[in-house]
PDB file of all heavy atoms in Angstrom:
ATOM      1  N   GLY A 357       1.350 -38.360 -19.780  1.00  0.00           N
ATOM      2  CA  GLY A 357       1.393 -37.200 -18.900  1.00  0.00           C
ATOM      3  C   GLY A 357       2.462 -36.225 -19.329  1.00  0.00           C
ATOM      4  O   GLY A 357       2.890 -36.195 -20.493  1.00  0.00           O
ATOM      5  N   VAL A 358       2.912 -35.424 -18.377  1.00  0.00           N
ATOM      6  CA  VAL A 358       3.961 -34.429 -18.607  1.00  0.00           C
ATOM      7  C   VAL A 358       5.086 -34.693 -17.622  1.00  0.00           C
ATOM      8  O   VAL A 358       4.844 -34.841 -16.420  1.00  0.00           O
ATOM      9  CB  VAL A 358       3.431 -32.989 -18.400  1.00  0.00           C
ATOM     10  CG1 VAL A 358       4.542 -31.971 -18.620  1.00  0.00           C
ATOM     11  CG2 VAL A 358       2.247 -32.715 -19.326  1.00  0.00           C
ATOM     12  N   ALA A 359       6.323 -34.769 -18.107  1.00  0.00           N
ATOM     13  CA  ALA A 359       7.480 -35.018 -17.245  1.00  0.00           C
ATOM     14  C   ALA A 359       8.584 -34.022 -17.552  1.00  0.00           C
ATOM     15  O   ALA A 359       8.728 -33.566 -18.686  1.00  0.00           O
ATOM     16  CB  ALA A 359       8.000 -36.437 -17.422  1.00  0.00           C
ATOM     17  N   VAL A 360       9.361 -33.677 -16.524  1.00  0.00           N
ATOM     18  CA  VAL A 360      10.489 -32.763 -16.693  1.00  0.00           C
ATOM     19  C   VAL A 360      11.721 -33.369 -16.030  1.00  0.00           C
ATOM     20  O   VAL A 360      11.656 -33.843 -14.886  1.00  0.00           O
ATOM     21  CB  VAL A 360      10.205 -31.379 -16.076  1.00  0.00           C
ATOM     22  CG1 VAL A 360      11.424 -30.467 -16.231  1.00  0.00           C
ATOM     23  CG2 VAL A 360       8.981 -30.741 -16.732  1.00  0.00           C
ATOM     24  N   TRP A 361      12.854 -33.348 -16.756  1.00  0.00           N
ATOM     25  CA  TRP A 361      14.141 -33.813 -16.235  1.00  0.00           C
ATOM     26  C   TRP A 361      15.129 -32.654 -16.185  1.00  0.00           C
ATOM     27  O   TRP A 361      15.018 -31.699 -16.947  1.00  0.00           O
ATOM     28  CB  TRP A 361      14.748 -34.868 -17.136  1.00  0.00           C
ATOM     29  CG  TRP A 361      14.126 -36.217 -17.145  1.00  0.00           C
ATOM     30  CD1 TRP A 361      14.510 -37.327 -16.437  1.00  0.00           C
ATOM     31  CD2 TRP A 361      13.032 -36.655 -17.971  1.00  0.00           C
ATOM     32  NE1 TRP A 361      13.718 -38.400 -16.750  1.00  0.00           N
ATOM     33  CE2 TRP A 361      12.800 -38.022 -17.676  1.00  0.00           C
ATOM     34  CE3 TRP A 361      12.213 -36.023 -18.908  1.00  0.00           C
ATOM     35  CZ2 TRP A 361      11.796 -38.765 -18.302  1.00  0.00           C
ATOM     36  CZ3 TRP A 361      11.211 -36.751 -19.516  1.00  0.00           C
ATOM     37  CH2 TRP A 361      11.008 -38.107 -19.217  1.00  0.00           C
ATOM     38  N   PHE A 362      16.127 -32.772 -15.322  1.00  0.00           N
ATOM     39  CA  PHE A 362      17.271 -31.871 -15.341  1.00  0.00           C
ATOM     40  C   PHE A 362      18.537 -32.696 -15.205  1.00  0.00           C
ATOM     41  O   PHE A 362      18.652 -33.559 -14.333  1.00  0.00           O
ATOM     42  CB  PHE A 362      17.207 -30.858 -14.196  1.00  0.00           C
ATOM     43  CG  PHE A 362      18.524 -30.163 -13.942  1.00  0.00           C
ATOM     44  CD1 PHE A 362      19.130 -29.407 -14.934  1.00  0.00           C
ATOM     45  CD2 PHE A 362      19.182 -30.298 -12.718  1.00  0.00           C
ATOM     46  CE1 PHE A 362      20.366 -28.793 -14.721  1.00  0.00           C
ATOM     47  CE2 PHE A 362      20.401 -29.681 -12.490  1.00  0.00           C
ATOM     48  CZ  PHE A 362      20.994 -28.926 -13.487  1.00  0.00           C
ATOM     49  N   PHE A 363      19.518 -32.419 -16.092  1.00  0.00           N
ATOM     50  CA  PHE A 363      20.814 -33.082 -16.048  1.00  0.00           C
ATOM     51  C   PHE A 363      21.907 -32.023 -16.002  1.00  0.00           C
ATOM     52  O   PHE A 363      22.073 -31.262 -16.954  1.00  0.00           O
ATOM     53  CB  PHE A 363      21.018 -33.977 -17.272  1.00  0.00           C
ATOM     54  CG  PHE A 363      19.958 -35.021 -17.453  1.00  0.00           C
ATOM     55  CD1 PHE A 363      18.979 -34.882 -18.427  1.00  0.00           C
ATOM     56  CD2 PHE A 363      19.934 -36.142 -16.639  1.00  0.00           C
ATOM     57  CE1 PHE A 363      17.987 -35.839 -18.587  1.00  0.00           C
ATOM     58  CE2 PHE A 363      18.950 -37.113 -16.791  1.00  0.00           C
ATOM     59  CZ  PHE A 363      17.975 -36.959 -17.773  1.00  0.00           C
ATOM     60  N   PRO A 364      22.670 -31.923 -14.897  1.00  0.00           N
ATOM     61  CA  PRO A 364      23.772 -30.960 -14.835  1.00  0.00           C
ATOM     62  C   PRO A 364      24.822 -31.276 -15.901  1.00  0.00           C
ATOM     63  O   PRO A 364      24.929 -32.406 -16.371  1.00  0.00           O
ATOM     64  CB  PRO A 364      24.342 -31.163 -13.422  1.00  0.00           C
ATOM     65  CG  PRO A 364      23.269 -31.871 -12.665  1.00  0.00           C
ATOM     66  CD  PRO A 364      22.543 -32.704 -13.662  1.00  0.00           C
ATOM     67  N   ARG A 365      25.598 -30.268 -16.262  1.00  0.00           N
ATOM     68  CA  ARG A 365      26.664 -30.448 -17.244  1.00  0.00           C
ATOM     69  C   ARG A 365      27.609 -31.562 -16.770  1.00  0.00           C
ATOM     70  O   ARG A 365      27.974 -31.652 -15.616  1.00  0.00           O
ATOM     71  CB  ARG A 365      27.456 -29.139 -17.386  1.00  0.00           C
ATOM     72  CG  ARG A 365      28.483 -29.141 -18.491  1.00  0.00           C
ATOM     73  CD  ARG A 365      27.836 -29.022 -19.846  1.00  0.00           C
ATOM     74  NE  ARG A 365      26.996 -27.811 -19.937  1.00  0.00           N
ATOM     75  CZ  ARG A 365      26.033 -27.656 -20.825  1.00  0.00           C
ATOM     76  NH1 ARG A 365      25.754 -28.623 -21.685  1.00  0.00           N
ATOM     77  NH2 ARG A 365      25.321 -26.535 -20.846  1.00  0.00           N
ATOM     78  N   GLY A 366      27.971 -32.444 -17.653  1.00  0.00           N
ATOM     79  CA  GLY A 366      28.832 -33.566 -17.288  1.00  0.00           C
ATOM     80  C   GLY A 366      28.068 -34.790 -16.841  1.00  0.00           C
ATOM     81  O   GLY A 366      28.649 -35.850 -16.651  1.00  0.00           O
ATOM     82  N   GLN A 367      26.745 -34.643 -16.664  1.00  0.00           N
ATOM     83  CA  GLN A 367      25.918 -35.771 -16.237  1.00  0.00           C
ATOM     84  C   GLN A 367      24.771 -36.003 -17.210  1.00  0.00           C
ATOM     85  O   GLN A 367      23.744 -36.573 -16.860  1.00  0.00           O
ATOM     86  CB  GLN A 367      25.392 -35.514 -14.826  1.00  0.00           C
ATOM     87  CG  GLN A 367      26.483 -35.312 -13.792  1.00  0.00           C
ATOM     88  CD  GLN A 367      25.933 -35.003 -12.416  1.00  0.00           C
ATOM     89  OE1 GLN A 367      24.764 -35.264 -12.135  1.00  0.00           O
ATOM     90  NE2 GLN A 367      26.749 -34.448 -11.546  1.00  0.00           N
ATOM     91  N   ILE A 368      24.948 -35.563 -18.429  1.00  0.00           N
ATOM     92  CA  ILE A 368      23.910 -35.668 -19.450  1.00  0.00           C
ATOM     93  C   ILE A 368      23.948 -37.068 -20.071  1.00  0.00           C
ATOM     94  O   ILE A 368      25.022 -37.539 -20.460  1.00  0.00           O
ATOM     95  CB  ILE A 368      24.119 -34.592 -20.532  1.00  0.00           C
ATOM     96  CG1 ILE A 368      24.095 -33.199 -19.897  1.00  0.00           C
ATOM     97  CG2 ILE A 368      23.064 -34.703 -21.621  1.00  0.00           C
ATOM     98  CD1 ILE A 368      24.578 -32.098 -20.812  1.00  0.00           C
ATOM     99  N   PRO A 369      22.826 -37.769 -20.168  1.00  0.00           N
ATOM    100  CA  PRO A 369      22.824 -39.104 -20.774  1.00  0.00           C
ATOM    101  C   PRO A 369      23.435 -39.072 -22.171  1.00  0.00           C
ATOM    102  O   PRO A 369      23.258 -38.117 -22.926  1.00  0.00           O
ATOM    103  CB  PRO A 369      21.331 -39.460 -20.821  1.00  0.00           C
ATOM    104  CG  PRO A 369      20.723 -38.673 -19.709  1.00  0.00           C
ATOM    105  CD  PRO A 369      21.489 -37.380 -19.672  1.00  0.00           C
ATOM    106  N   GLN A 370      24.140 -40.121 -22.510  1.00  0.00           N
ATOM    107  CA  GLN A 370      24.860 -40.180 -23.775  1.00  0.00           C
ATOM    108  C   GLN A 370      23.930 -40.049 -24.969  1.00  0.00           C
ATOM    109  O   GLN A 370      24.245 -39.363 -25.945  1.00  0.00           O
ATOM    110  CB  GLN A 370      25.644 -41.490 -23.861  1.00  0.00           C
ATOM    111  CG  GLN A 370      26.543 -41.590 -25.083  1.00  0.00           C
ATOM    112  CD  GLN A 370      27.350 -42.876 -25.115  1.00  0.00           C
ATOM    113  OE1 GLN A 370      27.147 -43.770 -24.302  1.00  0.00           O
ATOM    114  NE2 GLN A 370      28.265 -42.981 -26.051  1.00  0.00           N
ATOM    115  N   ASP A 371      22.765 -40.691 -24.895  1.00  0.00           N
ATOM    116  CA  ASP A 371      21.831 -40.621 -26.020  1.00  0.00           C
ATOM    117  C   ASP A 371      21.333 -39.199 -26.228  1.00  0.00           C
ATOM    118  O   ASP A 371      21.155 -38.748 -27.357  1.00  0.00           O
ATOM    119  CB  ASP A 371      20.652 -41.573 -25.790  1.00  0.00           C
ATOM    120  CG  ASP A 371      19.894 -41.244 -24.518  1.00  0.00           C
ATOM    121  OD1 ASP A 371      20.443 -41.521 -23.430  1.00  0.00           O
ATOM    122  OD2 ASP A 371      18.781 -40.703 -24.581  1.00  0.00           O
ATOM    123  N   LEU A 372      21.141 -38.456 -25.133  1.00  0.00           N
ATOM    124  CA  LEU A 372      20.690 -37.073 -25.222  1.00  0.00           C
ATOM    125  C   LEU A 372      21.799 -36.176 -25.765  1.00  0.00           C
ATOM    126  O   LEU A 372      21.557 -35.289 -26.595  1.00  0.00           O
ATOM    127  CB  LEU A 372      20.233 -36.589 -23.847  1.00  0.00           C
ATOM    128  CG  LEU A 372      19.637 -35.185 -23.753  1.00  0.00           C
ATOM    129  CD1 LEU A 372      18.476 -35.014 -24.723  1.00  0.00           C
ATOM    130  CD2 LEU A 372      19.169 -34.911 -22.329  1.00  0.00           C
ATOM    131  N   ALA A 373      23.019 -36.420 -25.323  1.00  0.00           N
ATOM    132  CA  ALA A 373      24.158 -35.645 -25.815  1.00  0.00           C
ATOM    133  C   ALA A 373      24.370 -35.867 -27.312  1.00  0.00           C
ATOM    134  O   ALA A 373      24.804 -34.963 -28.027  1.00  0.00           O
ATOM    135  CB  ALA A 373      25.420 -36.024 -25.043  1.00  0.00           C
ATOM    136  N   LYS A 374      24.028 -37.068 -27.786  1.00  0.00           N
ATOM    137  CA  LYS A 374      24.180 -37.392 -29.203  1.00  0.00           C
ATOM    138  C   LYS A 374      22.962 -36.997 -30.028  1.00  0.00           C
ATOM    139  O   LYS A 374      22.888 -37.285 -31.223  1.00  0.00           O
ATOM    140  CB  LYS A 374      24.442 -38.899 -29.372  1.00  0.00           C
ATOM    141  CG  LYS A 374      25.801 -39.338 -28.854  1.00  0.00           C
ATOM    142  CD  LYS A 374      26.008 -40.831 -29.086  1.00  0.00           C
ATOM    143  CE  LYS A 374      27.404 -41.264 -28.667  1.00  0.00           C
ATOM    144  NZ  LYS A 374      27.612 -42.725 -28.894  1.00  0.00           N
ATOM    145  N   ARG A 375      21.999 -36.363 -29.381  1.00  0.00           N
ATOM    146  CA  ARG A 375      20.772 -35.902 -30.029  1.00  0.00           C
ATOM    147  C   ARG A 375      19.966 -37.050 -30.619  1.00  0.00           C
ATOM    148  O   ARG A 375      19.362 -36.934 -31.691  1.00  0.00           O
ATOM    149  CB  ARG A 375      21.085 -34.830 -31.075  1.00  0.00           C
ATOM    150  CG  ARG A 375      21.728 -33.599 -30.454  1.00  0.00           C
ATOM    151  CD  ARG A 375      21.916 -32.449 -31.415  1.00  0.00           C
ATOM    152  NE  ARG A 375      22.395 -31.262 -30.693  1.00  0.00           N
ATOM    153  CZ  ARG A 375      22.610 -30.078 -31.238  1.00  0.00           C
ATOM    154  NH1 ARG A 375      22.382 -29.926 -32.541  1.00  0.00           N
ATOM    155  NH2 ARG A 375      23.027 -29.060 -30.523  1.00  0.00           N
ATOM    156  N   ALA A 376      19.952 -38.158 -29.897  1.00  0.00           N
ATOM    157  CA  ALA A 376      19.100 -39.292 -30.228  1.00  0.00           C
ATOM    158  C   ALA A 376      18.456 -39.761 -28.920  1.00  0.00           C
ATOM    159  O   ALA A 376      18.684 -40.884 -28.472  1.00  0.00           O
ATOM    160  CB  ALA A 376      19.910 -40.415 -30.873  1.00  0.00           C
ATOM    161  N   PRO A 377      17.667 -38.871 -28.279  1.00  0.00           N
ATOM    162  CA  PRO A 377      17.190 -39.135 -26.917  1.00  0.00           C
ATOM    163  C   PRO A 377      16.248 -40.329 -26.805  1.00  0.00           C
ATOM    164  O   PRO A 377      15.392 -40.542 -27.660  1.00  0.00           O
ATOM    165  CB  PRO A 377      16.479 -37.835 -26.538  1.00  0.00           C
ATOM    166  CG  PRO A 377      16.077 -37.222 -27.837  1.00  0.00           C
ATOM    167  CD  PRO A 377      17.172 -37.579 -28.801  1.00  0.00           C
ATOM    168  N   GLN A 378      16.437 -41.067 -25.719  1.00  0.00           N
ATOM    169  CA  GLN A 378      15.585 -42.200 -25.373  1.00  0.00           C
ATOM    170  C   GLN A 378      15.125 -42.017 -23.924  1.00  0.00           C
ATOM    171  O   GLN A 378      15.712 -42.584 -22.997  1.00  0.00           O
ATOM    172  CB  GLN A 378      16.342 -43.514 -25.532  1.00  0.00           C
ATOM    173  CG  GLN A 378      16.816 -43.799 -26.945  1.00  0.00           C
ATOM    174  CD  GLN A 378      17.622 -45.082 -27.059  1.00  0.00           C
ATOM    175  OE1 GLN A 378      18.207 -45.554 -26.088  1.00  0.00           O
ATOM    176  NE2 GLN A 378      17.641 -45.657 -28.246  1.00  0.00           N
ATOM    177  N   PRO A 379      14.109 -41.215 -23.691  1.00  0.00           N
ATOM    178  CA  PRO A 379      13.667 -40.933 -22.313  1.00  0.00           C
ATOM    179  C   PRO A 379      13.355 -42.174 -21.496  1.00  0.00           C
ATOM    180  O   PRO A 379      13.465 -42.147 -20.268  1.00  0.00           O
ATOM    181  CB  PRO A 379      12.411 -40.073 -22.530  1.00  0.00           C
ATOM    182  CG  PRO A 379      12.624 -39.431 -23.856  1.00  0.00           C
ATOM    183  CD  PRO A 379      13.343 -40.446 -24.687  1.00  0.00           C
ATOM    184  N   ALA A 380      12.997 -43.265 -22.169  1.00  0.00           N
ATOM    185  CA  ALA A 380      12.684 -44.499 -21.448  1.00  0.00           C
ATOM    186  C   ALA A 380      13.884 -45.065 -20.710  1.00  0.00           C
ATOM    187  O   ALA A 380      13.740 -45.884 -19.813  1.00  0.00           O
ATOM    188  CB  ALA A 380      12.129 -45.556 -22.409  1.00  0.00           C
ATOM    189  N   THR A 381      15.099 -44.636 -21.078  1.00  0.00           N
ATOM    190  CA  THR A 381      16.304 -45.148 -20.418  1.00  0.00           C
ATOM    191  C   THR A 381      16.823 -44.200 -19.353  1.00  0.00           C
ATOM    192  O   THR A 381      17.810 -44.504 -18.690  1.00  0.00           O
ATOM    193  CB  THR A 381      17.426 -45.374 -21.457  1.00  0.00           C
ATOM    194  OG1 THR A 381      17.869 -44.102 -21.972  1.00  0.00           O
ATOM    195  CG2 THR A 381      16.940 -46.238 -22.608  1.00  0.00           C
ATOM    196  N   TRP A 382      16.184 -43.050 -19.188  1.00  0.00           N
ATOM    197  CA  TRP A 382      16.683 -42.055 -18.241  1.00  0.00           C
ATOM    198  C   TRP A 382      16.256 -42.356 -16.813  1.00  0.00           C
ATOM    199  O   TRP A 382      15.312 -43.117 -16.587  1.00  0.00           O
ATOM    200  CB  TRP A 382      16.180 -40.663 -18.621  1.00  0.00           C
ATOM    201  CG  TRP A 382      16.623 -40.176 -19.959  1.00  0.00           C
ATOM    202  CD1 TRP A 382      17.587 -40.741 -20.758  1.00  0.00           C
ATOM    203  CD2 TRP A 382      16.117 -39.044 -20.674  1.00  0.00           C
ATOM    204  NE1 TRP A 382      17.708 -40.008 -21.929  1.00  0.00           N
ATOM    205  CE2 TRP A 382      16.830 -38.972 -21.897  1.00  0.00           C
ATOM    206  CE3 TRP A 382      15.157 -38.082 -20.397  1.00  0.00           C
ATOM    207  CZ2 TRP A 382      16.577 -37.970 -22.838  1.00  0.00           C
ATOM    208  CZ3 TRP A 382      14.907 -37.084 -21.333  1.00  0.00           C
ATOM    209  CH2 TRP A 382      15.617 -37.036 -22.531  1.00  0.00           C
TER     210      TRP A 382
END
Side-chain angles (χ1 to χ4, degrees):
V358 179
V360 178
W361 288 263
F362 164 60
F363 303 105
R365 187 75 57 201
Q367 301 178 19
I368 301 168
Q370 186 178 8
D371 59 287
L372 184 55
K374 291 182 176 180
R375 298 187 174 183
Q378 298 177 336
T381 68
W382 298 349

